[in-house]
Amino acid sequence: GGGLGSAVIQPLQIDETDNTPDRQRRMAQFANTLRLASATSPMLLAIDDLHRCSPESLELLSYLSDQLAYSPILLILLYRPEELARRVHSESQPVRLLISQLKRTGRCAEIEVPGLSPADISDFLTAQNYFFPETFTRRLTAQSGGNPLFIRAFLALLHTQGLLNREQGRFVLNQDEKDIVIPATIEAISQQRLERIADELRDLLSYPKIREERFAAQVIAGSDNEIPESNIFKYLNQLEEDYRLVSELEDQRLVVKVGPEYRFVHALLRQVLYQDLSDSQRRLLH
């Protein structure tokens, strides 16, 4: 059922420039497709980073919340509250307007997800075999705001920087904690991680096919590039094992494919990598 729904949903893209009744028809098709997919069992549709959605996507979500009010479908829309304070072209964030509309019509319940508490972070580090001084854990808690993604990314950065030793099965800092700088943002952590990888690996990550949500090693090998095919698999293995930037996707046997497929461990890494390119480089890659 999920595969069929994906196959039907994927072609129903909303054209940003289309203001004709055709656009309304496509939104109705989308709603009907979800109704069909939820006919035999309830459906959960989660959309992350709502604050990055285009106005057209938000319009579709508003339409779905109205049309699917009595269907066994639960929409979970996740966003960062701090992003709603930013104005877009001197106007209120479109997501704020959508949330206000949903609240006004009683179509949603808002759940605030707090950051991890200092005790939560301490328990998490212990469970992952990290043994840090208490003062360092307090600094990490304050700088991260309790954001789990920040903490995971920073731990990966510590490994990449060689600032950890493994002693008796536990990871410990090999420098005075006062000398270790904790970046201000997740983006800064991702930037530092990417800066530390070897030139040939960074060149590989610059290929257009890696800009996709998921990319196939065989496609990269068949592209017009200067990296030998034998090295591509070795480099991808390095990016996964040594740098923890990409992960190989499990073979679900849903489609016929040649060679393994990969994706970034988090889309933020891909975004930072793309933003690091100049306009000329972006045009050339595209």
Side-chain angles (χ1 to χ4, degrees):
L4 173 62
S6 299
V8 176
I9 290 173
Q10 190 169 1
L12 299 178
Q13 302 292 338
I14 302 296
D15 185 352
E16 298 179 9
T17 61
D18 183 8
N19 293 314
T20 66
D22 228 23
R23 180 165 160 181
Q24 190 75 12
R25 179 181 62 82
R26 278 194 293 273
M27 289 199 295
Q29 286 179 323
F30 201 105
N32 289 334
T33 301
L34 294 183
R35 285 196 188 95
L36 175 65
S38 64
T40 55
S41 63
M43 169 182 280
L44 175 68
L45 180 60
I47 298 181
D48 203 359
D49 289 337
L50 186 68
H51 49 275
R52 297 183 185 274
C53 277
S54 65
E56 292 74 26
S57 298
L58 296 177
E59 180 185 357
L60 176 59
L61 290 172
S62 176
Y63 179 85
L64 292 178
S65 70
D66 182 38
Q67 296 295 312
L68 303 177
Y70 300 101
S71 299
I73 298 174
L74 176 63
L75 292 175
I76 296 185
L77 311 176
L78 302 103
Y79 66 93
R80 299 181 191 173
E82 61 271 19
E83 293 288 340
L84 302 193
R86 301 179 183 180
R87 300 185 73 83
V88 179
H89 304 304
S90 302
E91 297 182 359
S92 295
Q93 237 282 1
V95 175
R96 184 190 294 274
L97 300 177
L98 173 63
I99 294 171
S100 298
Q101 172 196 340
L102 295 178
K103 285 182 176 179
R104 189 170 57 252
T105 55
R107 297 181 198 156
C108 77
E110 189 170 32
I111 302 175
E112 181 179 350
V113 182
L116 298 179
S117 68
D120 292 332
I121 294 176
S122 180
D123 289 344
F124 170 76
L125 293 175
T126 301
Q128 299 296 318
N129 296 319
Y130 291 95
F131 187 71
F132 296 152
E134 185 178 345
T135 52
F136 187 73
T137 302
R138 285 203 300 266
R139 284 177 55 205
L140 179 57
T141 300
Q143 194 76 326
S144 68
N147 186 327
L149 176 60
F150 185 107
I151 295 168
R152 289 179 56 192
F154 180 66
L155 293 175
L157 177 62
L158 290 178
H159 283 281
T160 304
Q161 292 174 327
L163 296 177
L164 296 174
N165 287 343
R166 193 175 184 95
E167 298 179 359
Q168 298 179 346
R170 300 187 300 185
F171 293 107
V172 297
L173 300 174
N174 57 25
Q175 291 186 16
D176 190 318
E177 62 95 3
K178 296 178 182 177
D179 298 330
I180 298 177
V181 177
I182 302 177
T185 64
I186 301 177
E187 288 80 4
I189 293 176
S190 300
Q191 185 66 51
Q192 289 189 31
R193 292 180 66 191
L194 291 170
E195 286 174 353
R196 299 189 69 86
I197 65 176
D199 290 341
E200 60 268 22
L201 298 180
R202 196 173 182 87
D203 289 342
L204 176 66
L205 293 178
S206 296
Y207 286 114
K209 288 299 178 185
I210 297 184
R211 301 299 172 196
E212 305 298 331
E213 179 71 21
R214 52 201 290 172
F215 56 91
Q218 207 71 21
V219 173
I220 301 172
S223 303
D224 183 18
N225 61 60
E226 300 175 356
I227 302 179
E229 182 176 351
S230 59
N231 285 354
I232 287 178
F233 291 98
K234 180 183 75 173
Y235 290 163
L236 288 172
N237 186 61
Q238 274 186 272
L239 290 170
E240 180 173 24
E241 298 294 332
D242 300 339
Y243 296 97
R244 307 182 187 186
L245 293 176
V246 302
S247 59
E248 184 175 346
L249 297 172
E250 292 184 10
D251 189 355
Q252 300 288 331
R253 300 293 179 187
L254 297 178
V255 294
V256 177
K257 66 177 183 178
V258 179
E261 285 187 304
Y262 295 81
R263 69 179 173 193
F264 282 95
V265 293
H266 195 274
L268 186 63
L269 287 165
R270 184 163 52 96
Q271 294 165 10
V272 170
L273 190 68
Y274 187 74
Q275 291 167 1
D276 198 37
L277 300 174
S278 67
D279 289 342
S280 299
Q281 288 175 308
R282 293 180 189 181
R283 283 194 294 271
L284 179 62
L285 288 173
H286 283 300

